Amino acid sequence: METALSQATGSAPVGRHQELLVLEESLRLARTSARIVSLAGEPWVGKSRLLAELIAAAHDDGWTVAAGRAGRLGGPVPFEVFVDALDDQLVRIGPDLAGRLGPRETDRLAGVFPALAAGRPEPSGPAPADPDAYWLIRAMRTLIGQAAEANGLLLVLDDVHRADPLSLQLLDHLVRHPPQAPVLIALAYRDSPTARHLSSLRTLRAHGAMPSWRHLDVAPLPERDAAALLPSGLDPIRRQLLLRDAAGVPGLLHALRDAGRLPVNPDAASVDFRALSPVAWRTACAAAVLGDPFTPGAVAEVAELPVERVLGGLDDLQSEGLIRPDGHLRRFRFRHPAVAGLVLRATDAGWRYGAQGRALRATQQGTAQGIAPGIAQDTGAEALTDGLPDGPGAVELASLSRREVQVAVLVSAGFTNQQIAGRMQLSPKTVETYLSRIFKKLGVVSRTQVAHLMGRGGRHL
């Protein structure tokens, strides 16, 4: 069943019928009163794609559309996501906007929007000492109402989990005091610790503030819907591994397809690490070399960074929804093992070679101290997805569970059962049980044969 949005855009995201219905209804109701619709979910689950569908439908319906995205986490630009969305729109409105706003409001906002500052003389009075003043928040609300004009305004704000404090304060104000104009504010953010302020805003509905706020939790796709995103002629084993590693996240699925050099829809969402700071990126690369779980100290050694900077990088990665604590204050793991594999792909080969040596030293030191950081355990799944061996061995490899893949990768790297037990926090007896299952499933009788079948699964170690 198609929604009006999918009819307007010509295609609908797979498995998102209910979400499209909510967006369609919000757009319709915003013609008479201001509305907010928010989308939250893990990275690359399809939030931006849904916003794109909403934008296309609003354009077709004659709305004025302004879309922006928050940049790098902790960016210094005040109201950054609003400026990114509205500044070009203010240029199109032209000098009439300044007349409607009045000189006082225009002077206030000229310090925020380049479009309003262009060609204006320097303010006659001194600039306010406090840029966080209430009048500036109110002036932004007035500007949004004026930008709606007669057509109505769709204001799309993406990656709001990275928004600066002033942008979050403005959102808080808009929730309590929505513009008296046909405005739909559509915002998307990752369900990460930095989004707690956005989550708490939704509780204001219980106190009568902005009852017209609709919220959508965008979940991973069921396997049937995710499978519909893959080519019909794909090898069944490769299909099974891709679906397993992507875990229903469309962006991850497309990225893994791309990594396997399969035909890729150029319009499909994929993973993007560009918003990470240099420290966060180096931290992610070191963690990917180590494998799950990893400790800050081991990451610092592999990344060749001070522990204090690595801790900040880990905070950023957790804020982006890429990693999570591993049930222990000293350990972390990637939210999806496939992300670690994609990070490894994006590292420079020379740096990765050196990092692998540092990772082995860090792991050996951790074992001697009774600490068990992982080393490339879950990235075995990524390596299998990237290049399955030819012949009957491919079928047997696909039958391994994720835990069995971890053991097989470490076996192929030459680790003893005792060493594997220490790294995976298992008893040696449990490792023997896993190894017995692996031998049976792969149809082999020796560790050497396991290493041969795993092929590329152990090379990055």
Side-chain angles (χ1 to χ4, degrees):
M1 178 179 176
E2 285 194 333
T3 65
L5 260 66
S6 62
Q7 291 173 350
T9 59
S11 64
V14 173
R16 301 302 187 196
H17 178 75
Q18 292 302 318
E19 290 88 344
L20 291 173
L21 285 176
V22 172
L23 295 178
E24 176 186 326
E25 181 184 30
S26 298
L27 191 63
R28 175 174 55 82
L29 294 175
R31 280 293 188 190
T32 56
S33 61
R35 302 264 165 172
I36 291 180
V37 61
S38 56
L39 298 86
E42 63 179 279
W44 314 303
V45 77
K47 304 179 297 296
S48 298
R49 173 66 191 279
L50 286 168
L51 291 180
E53 295 287 319
L54 178 62
I55 289 171
H59 273 303
D60 289 346
D61 201 29
W63 286 74
T64 297
V65 177
R69 182 187 299 270
R72 182 168 291 171
L73 192 67
V77 180
F79 301 109
E80 177 188 23
V81 66
F82 287 92
V83 173
D84 190 49
L86 289 166
D87 198 57
D88 288 344
Q89 186 61 39
L90 300 185
V91 172
R92 287 191 287 270
I93 295 175
D96 290 345
L97 177 62
R100 296 202 302 269
L101 288 172
R104 178 176 297 180
E105 299 282 53
T106 303
D107 283 343
R108 289 169 175 170
L109 294 170
V112 177
F113 291 96
L116 293 177
R120 292 181 59 80
E122 293 293 326
S124 55
D130 182 12
D132 192 15
Y134 180 65
W135 58 259
L136 186 53
I137 298 289
R138 287 188 61 87
M140 292 287 290
R141 172 179 173 268
T142 301
L143 174 68
I144 291 170
Q146 290 292 335
E149 299 179 311
N151 297 329
L153 173 67
L154 171 61
L155 179 58
V156 175
L157 310 173
D158 203 356
D159 288 333
V160 185
H161 62 282
R162 301 181 190 135
D164 60 278
L166 281 177
S167 292
L168 293 175
Q169 290 185 40
L170 175 55
L171 277 173
D172 183 276
H173 181 78
L174 293 172
V175 168
R176 300 171 189 273
H177 308 283
Q180 301 302 306
V183 175
L184 175 59
I185 301 174
L187 56 98
Y189 58 91
R190 295 181 179 180
D191 54 356
S192 65
T194 53
R196 58 185 178 273
H197 179 78
L198 293 163
S199 299
S200 66
L201 282 180
R202 304 206 313 268
T203 63
L204 294 174
R205 289 180 295 177
H207 305 285
M210 198 63 179
S212 53
W213 184 334
R214 297 290 303 274
H215 178 73
L216 296 169
D217 287 311
V218 184
L221 294 173
E223 182 171 322
R224 182 181 64 180
D225 291 331
L229 300 175
L230 294 173
S232 58
L234 186 61
D235 176 80
I237 303 302
R238 178 65 64 83
R239 177 183 295 272
Q240 178 185 347
L241 290 171
L242 286 171
L243 292 173
R244 182 193 67 181
D245 293 345
V249 179
L252 275 181
L253 188 62
H254 290 303
L256 293 172
R257 287 174 56 187
D258 190 23
R261 297 170 297 280
L262 295 169
V264 180
N265 178 0
D267 298 325
S270 192
V271 300
D272 185 359
F273 301 114
R274 288 175 295 179
L276 296 178
S277 68
V279 170
W281 174 243
R282 177 65 69 88
T283 301
C285 293
V289 170
L290 282 164
D292 291 332
F294 49 85
T295 64
V299 171
E301 182 169 345
V302 176
E304 297 183 299
L305 291 172
V307 173
E308 293 76 13
R309 297 187 70 189
V310 165
L311 292 174
L314 292 173
D315 284 344
D316 288 350
L317 294 175
Q318 188 176 1
S319 297
E320 286 292 294
L322 300 180
I323 66 170
R324 56 182 174 82
D326 188 44
H328 190 290
L329 292 177
R330 297 177 62 185
R331 293 198 301 268
F332 299 84
R333 66 172 55 248
F334 282 92
R335 187 169 189 164
H336 290 290
V339 173
L342 293 170
V343 170
L344 278 175
R345 281 184 169 278
T347 59
D348 294 329
W351 180 88
R352 186 167 63 246
Y353 179 83
Q356 288 161 358
R358 295 191 294 272
L360 286 172
R361 290 194 298 272
T363 305
Q364 291 164 358
Q365 293 169 4
T367 301
Q369 298 168 7
I371 303 171
I375 176 163
Q377 296 170 9
D378 285 333
T379 52
E382 181 274 337
L384 289 175
T385 300
D386 173 44
L388 284 170
D390 295 327
V395 178
E396 285 81 5
L397 282 177
S399 69
L400 297 182
S401 70
R402 186 174 298 280
R403 206 66 163 166
E404 289 165 351
V405 168
Q406 295 170 1
V407 172
V409 169
L410 290 173
V411 166
S412 70
F415 291 98
T416 67
N417 287 4
Q418 193 71 33
Q419 290 172 325
I420 295 172
R423 281 156 178 75
M424 297 183 66
Q425 293 188 297
L426 301 171
S427 70
K429 183 67 175 177
T430 302
V431 174
E432 290 177 10
T433 300
Y434 277 124
L435 195 55
S436 176
R437 293 176 185 172
I438 292 167
F439 280 6
K440 183 176 180 180
K441 289 183 178 182
L442 298 184
V444 299
V445 295
S446 72
R447 303 167 79 93
T448 302
Q449 289 175 304
V450 171
H452 175 73
L453 271 181
M454 290 301 294
R456 295 174 62 184
R459 290 184 185 175
H460 63 271
L461 294 170

